[in-house]
Amino acid sequence: NYKHVLITHGHFDHYAREQLTGRYVTDENWTFYLPPQTAAPERERLQKSLQGAKGNPPRRAPEIADAVPFVPMDIMGYRVTPLPARHAPSIGSVIYLIEKDGKRLLYAHDCAGFTAEDLDFLAGKRLDLVTLDCTYGGNAPKSVGHMGYAEDLKCREQLKQRGAADDKTIFVANHFSHNGVRPYADMQALLPGFIVSYDGMVIEF
C-alpha cells in the first residue's frame, strides 16, 4: 500500500482535509506533502479535528510535511522535488519533478505554464515523461492557473529549447474539464505529439 501523498495545493478539489480524520486516520503511517503556506495551518486544523473526534483516538494521525520548492525529498526511494507553480500564489502551489533509476517524470497540473525559475532548474535535465494541465482545451484560459492546447504546445517547446525534453520525451495532456473537452479524436488531432489521457491509462517508460 502507498503511504505517501503528494498534494500540489490546498484547493478543495485537490485536498480534502476532512479525509484526514476519516479514511487516513488509521494505525498505519500516512504522510501528506503540502506547500509550506498550506502545511502550517493544516497541521493546526488536523490536531483540533482529532481532539474533537468521538471514540477512541487513533494511535497514529497523518503527518503533514512541507513540500518546499527546489528542496528535494527522498520518498520511498524516489527523489521528489517540488517546483513553484503558477497557480493560486496566496496559498502556495507546486508541481513535482519525480526521479528514480535514471527516469524523470514532471507532474505539472494546475499551473499556467512554467515560471522562469522552473525552466532554469529543469534546463539540461532530460525528462522522460511530462504530464501537463489542459483544463481549458481549445478555449482561451479564463483565469490564471490553468492551460489549454496552445499553452501545452508552448510548454513543450520551452522544455525542448532548454534541453529538458526531446523527441523521445512522452508528453501527456491531462486535467480536463467541461470548459474545453471535445471528442477524443478531435482533442488528439489538436495536440500533435501528445497523448491525450483517459481513465485507466497506464504508461510505461
Side-chain angles (χ1 to χ4, degrees):
N1 292 333
Y2 298 102
K3 298 295 185 294
H4 298 267
V5 183
L6 302 176
I7 305 293
T8 56
H9 62 294
H11 283 162
F12 71 91
D13 57 333
H14 285 257
Y15 172 69
R17 74 171 59 93
E18 59 272 13
Q19 292 188 346
L20 294 182
T21 53
R23 177 179 177 184
Y24 299 109
V25 174
T26 68
D27 289 340
E28 302 178 49
N29 285 319
W30 282 83
T31 302
F32 287 75
Y33 300 85
L34 292 158
Q37 295 96 316
T38 303
E42 285 304 301
R43 288 192 191 94
E44 183 177 350
R45 293 189 185 106
L46 176 60
Q47 289 303 317
K48 289 182 178 178
S49 296
L50 293 176
Q51 290 169 4
K54 296 181 179 180
N56 295 325
R59 283 186 287 179
R60 289 192 178 125
E63 179 181 347
I64 296 179
D66 289 327
V68 181
F70 304 113
V71 178
M73 304 175 288
D74 183 9
I75 303 174
M76 294 180 65
Y78 290 83
R79 181 182 174 90
V80 179
T81 306
L83 301 176
R86 295 177 61 201
H87 184 90
S90 63
I91 64 170
S93 300
V94 296
I95 58 179
Y96 288 101
L97 174 65
I98 304 171
E99 304 172 85
K100 187 176 182 182
D101 298 333
K103 300 287 187 178
R104 292 192 180 103
L105 160 68
L106 181 63
Y107 182 93
H109 296 181
D110 273 54
C111 67
F114 304 119
T115 68
E117 293 80 9
D118 292 339
L119 292 171
D120 288 343
F121 181 83
L122 293 169
K125 296 181 175 69
R126 184 192 173 277
L127 301 165
D128 294 280
L129 191 150
V130 179
T131 176
L132 293 173
D133 179 288
C134 197
T135 298
Y136 287 114
N139 298 326
K142 299 177 182 179
S143 62
V144 175
H146 290 288
M147 299 189 287
Y149 305 145
E151 293 75 28
D152 282 8
L153 293 169
K154 178 181 177 180
C155 284
R156 180 173 63 184
E157 289 309 306
Q158 288 178 322
L159 292 174
K160 284 187 172 183
Q161 289 170 6
R162 288 162 176 79
D166 57 28
D167 291 339
K168 293 184 178 180
T169 300
I170 301 169
F171 281 86
V172 179
N174 212 328
H175 200 280
F176 303 110
S177 78
H178 60 281
N179 292 289
V181 70
R182 299 186 184 188
Y184 186 86
D186 293 350
M187 296 169 72
Q188 188 65 74
L190 290 164
L191 280 169
F194 273 73
I195 297 173
V196 176
S197 65
Y198 51 86
D199 289 347
M201 184 179 76
V202 175
I203 297 178
E204 296 184 6
F205 64 96

